[in-house]
Each structure stands twice: as structure tokens, then as C-alpha cells.
């Protein structure tokens, strides 16, 4: 039996908020920028800049916002943490073989 790992990646808003904390920016300023990202599931910062005229205007007008957003773009999509799936397990009578493949993350083949 094996548990299933989950990978939590940094979405657009989370990346902006994390970068703002790392840059020691005031929470209110960072929150204001993060709220300009449309509430669309899976939206990227690149797409948010196209869809939100207010975000684009803030990005073009303020060098601090530009630094925040440009840095967040570099982190967007990276794994932020890992966890164990709450209900998923893999059960098998034989051994579960773990393989490391260069083009994939750690994968279980059963």
C-alpha cells in the first residue's frame, strides 16, 4: 500500500502575496495588487495583465508593482508544498516500484 502525494503549486495571487511578503512590502499594498488578478481558475499573471486593465495600469505606472509582478512571474507554477492526499491510497499485492525518470517527477508504476 502507498499513499498518494499531492503537490501544491503557486497560483498567480499566491505568488504575488508571497513575493510581497519576501520584499517586506506593506500587506495592504500587496493585497490591493493581488485583488486585481481576476478570480478565474488557473489564470496566469501574464493573462491577468491582459485581462485586468487596472493591474496593467498599476504595473506600467509603479516600479514597485513592476518588481513585485515580475518576481512573482518567476515563481508562479513552482511547487510551494507537498502533502498527502486525504482519501487516496494505492493498494497492490506485489511491490510498488518507484522509478525516477528525467522527464517526469517521481512516479509510481504498479
Amino acid at each position: 500500500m502507498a499513499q498518494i502525494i499531492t503537490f501544491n503549486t503557486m497560483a498567480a495571487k499566491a505568488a504575488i502575496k508571497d513575493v510581497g511578503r519576501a520584499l517586506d512590502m506593506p500587506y495592504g499594498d500587496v493585497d490591493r495588487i493581488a485583488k486585481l488578478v481576476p478570480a478565474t481558475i488557473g489564470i496566469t499573471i501574464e493573462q491577468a495583465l491582459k485581462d485586468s486593465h487596472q493591474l496593467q495600469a498599476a504595473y506600467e505606472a509603479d516600479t514597485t508593482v513592476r518588481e513585485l509582478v515580475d518576481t512573482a512571474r518567476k515563481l508562479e507554477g513552482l511547487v510551494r508544498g507537498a502533502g498527502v492526499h486525504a482519501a487516496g491510497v494505492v493498494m497492490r499485492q506485489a511491490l510498488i516500484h518507484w522509478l525516477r525518470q528525467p522527464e517526469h517527477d517521481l512516479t509510481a508504476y504498479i
Side-chain angles (χ1 to χ4, degrees):
M1 184 168 85
Q3 294 179 310
I4 299 172
I5 191 168
T6 60
F7 295 100
N8 306 313
T9 56
M10 294 180 77
K13 287 183 181 187
I16 289 171
K17 288 181 177 186
D18 282 358
V19 169
R21 271 193 300 276
L23 294 176
D24 203 26
M25 294 176 65
Y27 174 79
D29 294 348
V30 176
D31 192 52
R32 178 181 57 83
I33 298 302
K35 285 181 179 178
L36 296 177
V37 175
T40 305
I41 295 175
I43 194 165
T44 63
I45 293 173
E46 192 68 37
Q47 189 62 47
L49 284 166
K50 293 175 186 173
D51 293 352
S52 172
H53 299 294
Q54 290 176 315
L55 179 59
Q56 185 178 16
Y59 178 82
E60 292 172 357
D62 188 339
T63 57
T64 305
V65 172
R66 181 179 294 269
E67 179 186 13
L68 171 67
V69 171
D70 287 345
T71 306
R73 273 193 219 180
K74 295 174 187 175
L75 299 179
E76 183 179 30
L78 293 178
V79 174
R80 185 172 193 225
V84 177
H85 192 284
V89 293
V90 177
M91 296 175 64
R92 183 174 179 197
Q93 287 179 334
L95 288 176
I96 297 173
H97 301 282
W98 297 91
L99 301 175
R100 179 74 174 155
Q101 295 184 344
E103 68 274 6
H104 294 90
D105 288 331
L106 194 61
T107 307
Y109 290 92
I110 55 173

